[in-house]
Amino acid sequence: MGEETIKVSVGGLTDFAKKLETYRIEIGDQAGKVHDCPPLLPGNDVLPESANLKKGSNEFMASVASALTTIQADVKNIESDLEMAGTMFNLGAEDSLTEAQMMEILHDVLGGGSPSTSVH
């Protein structure tokens, strides 16, 4: 995923939430690949370098898997926040929310959002 502009509307948030879902699934696929990666072949662990390499490799793979799991959970939380914002927009549709009010809802739901958020 790269940088993009999100349309601040129910449709725009829904579209972005779908992109996040796809991204979250891709992250899960990559995390699965990390777990499928074969360990280093057994060898002569008498040499400290060999033992250290195996240990370092295992620690690295565990770290990557953990980071991908954390990212996947964070993306899921963002999806939920966007769904909540969409619901709030739907509830506020009868009241004709201003752009400033919509941005305030996003700010509240997303916990501050990005300082570069702008309304188009």
Side-chain angles (χ1 to χ4, degrees):
M1 290 194 70
E3 184 177 325
E4 68 178 82
T5 301
I6 304 168
K7 185 175 180 184
V8 182
S9 66
V10 175
L13 294 178
T14 301
D15 290 344
F16 187 64
K18 287 177 185 175
K19 289 179 184 178
L20 285 176
E21 181 180 18
T22 301
Y23 182 60
R24 181 176 47 82
I25 291 168
E26 290 173 0
I27 292 170
D29 292 345
Q30 294 303 314
K33 289 178 183 177
V34 170
H35 291 294
D36 293 341
C37 184
L40 294 177
L41 295 175
N44 187 351
D45 287 342
V46 174
L47 297 173
E49 292 82 5
S50 177
N52 288 340
L53 178 62
K54 285 183 184 179
K55 180 181 178 206
S57 175
N58 291 337
E59 288 172 353
F60 174 73
M61 296 303 271
S63 174
V64 169
S66 175
L68 289 172
T69 300
T70 299
I71 292 169
Q72 191 176 23
D74 289 346
V75 170
K76 179 63 179 167
N77 289 337
I78 293 169
E79 285 177 65
S80 297
D81 290 345
L82 289 174
E83 288 173 12
M84 183 184 302
T87 300
M88 293 175 79
F89 285 161
N90 276 332
L91 295 174
E94 297 170 1
D95 299 332
S96 299
L97 295 174
T98 65
E99 289 177 352
Q101 289 169 320
M102 286 190 277
M103 292 306 295
E104 186 175 332
I105 289 171
L106 283 177
H107 184 271
D108 291 344
V109 171
L110 298 177
S114 168
S116 63
T117 302
S118 61
V119 178
H120 298 283

